[in-house]
Amino acid sequence: MREGKGKQGIKAQETRRRIIEAAGALFVEQGYGATKLQEVADRAGVAVQTIYFVFRNKPALLKELVDVAIAGDDEPVPTMQRPWFAEVTSAPTAESALAALVSATRRTLERVAAINEMVRAATATNPEIRDLWPDQADPRYTVLSTAAKSLTQKPGARPAIPAEEAADILYAVLSPELFLILTRDRAWPPAKWEQWAYDTLGSQLLAAKGP
């Protein structure tokens, strides 16, 4: 019985993943408002009733899509409890912490930058979406602010740079908007963006190296 339930659970998880992937592709291609759930169902290879059963409605599907894109999986683990963030905060030097942060941010932005842009556009014309993210502190800034506090206290950090200023710099350079400008609009490979972001942030946040 356990084996059967296990297979059923795996099948349900795979169905959920297909629906989320289909929704992400269509919402970005066509826009949230223009995409019908029947189109999502067709692309995912499921009945539209399955989407309603699993996610209840279209806004809930969008919320799940964003959460999974940010995390990289559907595990209920907060960002600041994930291994990559521990790698940033436990790094022995500011240089290694910055490298870990930029690398992890690149992976996240490759998943979420276009979705973030789509959500911004959708929110303007679909008021119900605003209720998915009630007014609160920006979670991206919260994560980067915590990373900045850790980084500025490590050996190799630029002397006397306030953690708040470091957080603002990280927030700007590692933004989804700037990532899309360079990787999509200007066709930079993500690896080139990662090196540029590290070099740019390093010039602002790391101590200057001697000759």
Side-chain angles (χ1 to χ4, degrees):
M1 292 295 291
R2 289 183 180 178
E3 183 179 354
K5 288 183 179 179
K7 289 181 179 179
Q8 186 177 12
I10 292 172
K11 183 178 179 180
Q13 188 176 29
E14 172 62 20
T15 297
R16 188 182 189 91
R17 182 189 62 78
R18 291 206 316 272
I19 294 171
I20 290 172
E21 288 182 355
L26 287 168
F27 289 169
V28 170
E29 290 170 12
Q30 302 178 170
Y32 171 82
T35 300
K36 308 300 182 186
L37 286 184
Q38 184 62 59
E39 295 176 286
V40 177
D42 291 343
R43 182 169 292 200
V46 301
V48 70
Q49 290 84 356
T50 301
I51 297 179
Y52 285 111
F53 177 76
V54 175
F55 297 99
R56 301 192 317 279
N57 54 44
K58 191 176 176 183
L61 173 57
L62 176 65
K63 178 66 163 58
E64 184 72 8
L65 165 65
V66 173
D67 289 347
V68 169
I70 292 172
D73 56 50
D74 58 1
E75 296 297 323
V77 180
T79 298
M80 289 189 289
Q81 293 179 20
R82 288 182 171 267
W84 75 260
F85 193 78
E87 184 180 351
V88 173
T89 56
S90 64
T93 65
E95 184 176 9
S96 56
L98 182 60
L101 177 61
V102 173
S103 177
T105 300
R106 169 192 164 180
R107 296 192 298 271
T108 300
L109 291 177
E110 286 183 288
R111 296 189 304 265
V112 80
I115 292 173
N116 180 77
E117 183 179 60
M118 174 271 295
V119 170
R120 283 179 177 270
T123 301
T125 54
N126 297 269
E128 73 275 10
I129 294 178
R130 299 189 186 99
D131 296 333
L132 299 177
W133 294 280
D135 293 338
Q136 58 180 348
D138 185 335
R140 189 171 74 85
Y141 184 82
T142 299
V143 169
L144 292 175
S145 177
T146 303
K149 289 176 183 177
S150 175
L151 188 150
T152 53
Q153 295 173 3
K154 295 181 183 294
R158 179 181 166 190
I161 184 169
E164 183 176 342
E165 181 179 339
D168 290 345
I169 293 169
L170 289 171
Y171 188 76
V173 174
L174 300 180
S175 69
E177 296 83 1
L178 188 51
F179 180 83
L180 286 178
I181 287 173
L182 294 176
T183 61
R184 184 190 63 189
D185 300 346
R186 301 310 308 159
W188 281 24
K192 180 177 180 179
W193 173 89
E194 182 176 341
Q195 185 62 57
W196 169 82
Y198 176 82
D199 291 342
T200 301
L201 290 168
S203 69
Q204 296 292 311
L205 305 179
L206 301 180
K209 294 183 179 180

